Amino acid sequence: MGSSIANNLIIYISSITASLSYCYFISSKLPKGIYRFISLIPILYLFTILPLLFSSVFPTAVAFSFTTWLTNFKLIRFAFDLDHSPFHPSYSLLKFITFTSLPIKSKTAHRNSTNSVPNRFRFKLGFELLIFSILVKIVLNYRTRVHQKLISFIYGWLLFLLIDIVAYISNALLFLLTGLELEPPSDHPYLATSLQNFWGRWNLLVTTTLRHTVYKPVLLAFCNYKWGPLAGVLVSFLVSGLMHEVFVYQLSRAAPTWEMTSFFMLHGVCVVVEMIVKRGLSGGRWRLPEVVAWLLTIGFVFVTGVLMFIPPFIRGRVDEKMIREYKTLVESVKSKY
């Protein structure tokens, strides 16, 4: 099992390195636009199926997030030379590969004198690992005794923590090796007071990617229309929904049910309505009391998440696989230490 994962990891890293080298040396020489995009189609396809190398939930989720989603969308920006393209003629091959395959901060951190991981990484990672362990324990002990909707609610928190944990571990490793930092995974989405605010805080890797690759180009295409920003929001949520369908398929290997697309389109429509209402009420100056706005936002996210977002993961037994892998990892660590 271990050797199989190691072999797949070598294939995965080698494929990314070779593919991005092709982009750097060949595709970059073509004029930006359709011809460069056509040259990238085989790479975009490869990066879409590459996570299927892995059968475990955790490596598949990481490979999808960093390669199928982040790198592919950065390559689309590279093809059309959009804002925040990862390519610049002055970049070395190593810098191009690093900035294309990872969500590097635009203002990178300097190494400290001891070359150690910043305390904020250690504290946040330790705290979130503790909460993650407690929630997994609750699921293991009470999954058959409590209402399924409560378990779905806990799964939502596990997903949020998993995104953060993977990001903090990746961040710590990258900082030790290069002194660079990744973009933060989220910005306290549980404090959001509107849907627009929530989606600006949740999973910043995805939010930033969609803003530069989908929202801004749509906005530019409809710049002469008042409804241009609304179209940009709807298209961004549609793309996010379709990408989440691919994500669930890669984790479960089950045919898509389109619940993810429905979930994100529902939220997209609600965000658009929210924007229109805010714009119409006293030029956006009128606001609900903050506590009421927070309760409505979190309540809506919770209800729709439990009914539409979590079920595809449960139906595909992704939750069972994740818990099984977590137990195996814990038992392995216990046996060694």
Side-chain angles (χ1 to χ4, degrees):
M1 180 71 173
S3 61
S4 173
I5 293 175
N7 289 337
N8 288 337
L9 188 60
I10 291 171
I11 295 171
Y12 172 73
I13 294 174
S14 301
S15 299
I16 291 174
T17 304
S19 298
L20 292 181
S21 297
Y22 160 83
C23 297
Y24 181 83
F25 289 113
I26 306 297
S27 297
S28 66
K29 303 299 187 289
L30 299 174
K32 67 180 180 181
I34 191 65
Y35 292 112
R36 188 184 291 179
F37 177 74
I38 290 172
S39 76
L40 293 174
I41 288 176
I43 307 301
L44 297 173
Y45 174 73
L46 174 63
F47 285 177
T48 300
I49 65 172
L50 208 50
L52 295 174
L53 275 172
F54 305 103
S55 56
S56 301
V57 168
F58 292 98
T60 303
V62 173
F64 174 86
S65 300
F66 282 1
T67 307
T68 304
W69 199 311
L70 176 74
T71 306
N72 267 353
F73 277 64
K74 282 191 175 183
L75 288 177
I76 292 171
R77 297 207 293 273
F78 162 59
F80 296 98
D81 198 24
L82 301 175
D83 283 349
H84 291 259
S85 168
F87 178 78
H88 190 275
S90 65
Y91 283 1
S92 66
L93 173 61
L94 179 59
K95 190 171 184 178
F96 172 72
I97 291 174
T98 303
F99 276 77
T100 305
S101 58
L102 295 170
I104 302 292
K105 272 188 173 183
S106 54
K107 293 182 180 178
T108 56
H110 295 286
R111 272 187 199 272
N112 57 27
S113 56
T114 58
N115 290 338
S116 61
V117 177
N119 287 332
R120 65 182 180 279
F121 291 166
R122 295 191 191 128
F123 174 76
K124 288 180 179 178
L125 179 59
F127 177 74
E128 292 194 348
L129 280 171
L130 175 63
I131 301 300
F132 187 87
S133 301
I134 292 171
L135 292 178
V136 169
K137 200 77 173 175
I138 291 173
V139 171
L140 287 173
N141 293 336
Y142 300 101
R143 184 166 45 180
T144 58
R145 305 183 205 173
V146 299
H147 200 282
Q148 186 59 47
K149 294 294 185 286
L150 179 58
I151 296 298
S152 295
F153 174 71
I154 295 175
Y155 283 153
W157 277 101
L158 286 173
L159 179 63
F160 166 70
L161 291 170
L162 182 61
I163 291 171
D164 269 21
I165 288 167
V166 168
Y168 286 132
I169 292 174
S170 303
N171 219 339
L173 291 172
L174 185 71
F175 188 87
L176 283 172
L177 293 171
T178 67
L180 301 174
E181 287 188 39
L182 302 180
E183 294 284 359
S186 60
D187 182 23
H188 311 293
Y190 42 81
L191 299 178
T193 54
S194 70
L195 283 179
Q196 194 176 0
N197 185 226
F198 175 84
W199 289 111
R201 291 169 173 264
W202 170 262
N203 201 347
L204 296 181
L205 182 153
V206 169
T207 301
T208 303
T209 298
L210 289 172
R211 182 184 301 119
H212 294 303
T213 316
V214 181
Y215 177 77
K216 285 186 176 180
V218 172
L219 192 62
L220 186 63
F222 298 105
C223 61
N224 295 323
Y225 299 91
K226 273 187 174 181
W227 46 264
L230 307 181
V233 169
L234 285 176
V235 175
S236 297
F237 273 94
L238 173 61
V239 172
S240 182
L242 294 173
M243 290 300 292
H244 277 82
E245 297 286 356
V246 177
F247 180 53
V248 174
Y249 168 75
Q250 292 191 345
L251 292 178
S252 65
R253 308 297 200 262
T257 60
W258 308 111
E259 287 167 284
M260 283 292 179
T261 306
S262 301
F263 170 81
F264 281 97
M265 285 308 297
L266 172 63
H267 276 254
V269 170
C270 290
V271 169
V272 165
V273 171
E274 188 179 83
M275 292 167 67
I276 294 172
V277 170
K278 284 180 179 177
R279 189 185 298 170
L281 293 175
S282 303
R285 288 189 293 274
W286 186 84
R287 291 286 185 274
L288 283 171
E290 199 163 287
V291 174
V292 175
W294 175 78
L295 286 171
L296 289 173
T297 301
I298 299 305
F300 183 78
V301 172
F302 164 67
V303 172
T304 56
V306 167
L307 294 177
M308 302 172 72
F309 186 85
I310 299 298
F313 291 103
I314 296 176
R315 198 176 298 112
R317 301 188 181 277
V318 177
D319 58 322
E320 295 177 12
K321 293 178 187 176
M322 183 177 73
I323 291 170
R324 188 163 58 245
E325 289 172 24
Y326 173 79
K327 287 172 66 178
T328 302
L329 177 63
V330 170
E331 288 166 6
S332 176
V333 172
K334 280 183 179 178
S335 67
K336 289 182 180 178
Y337 300 102

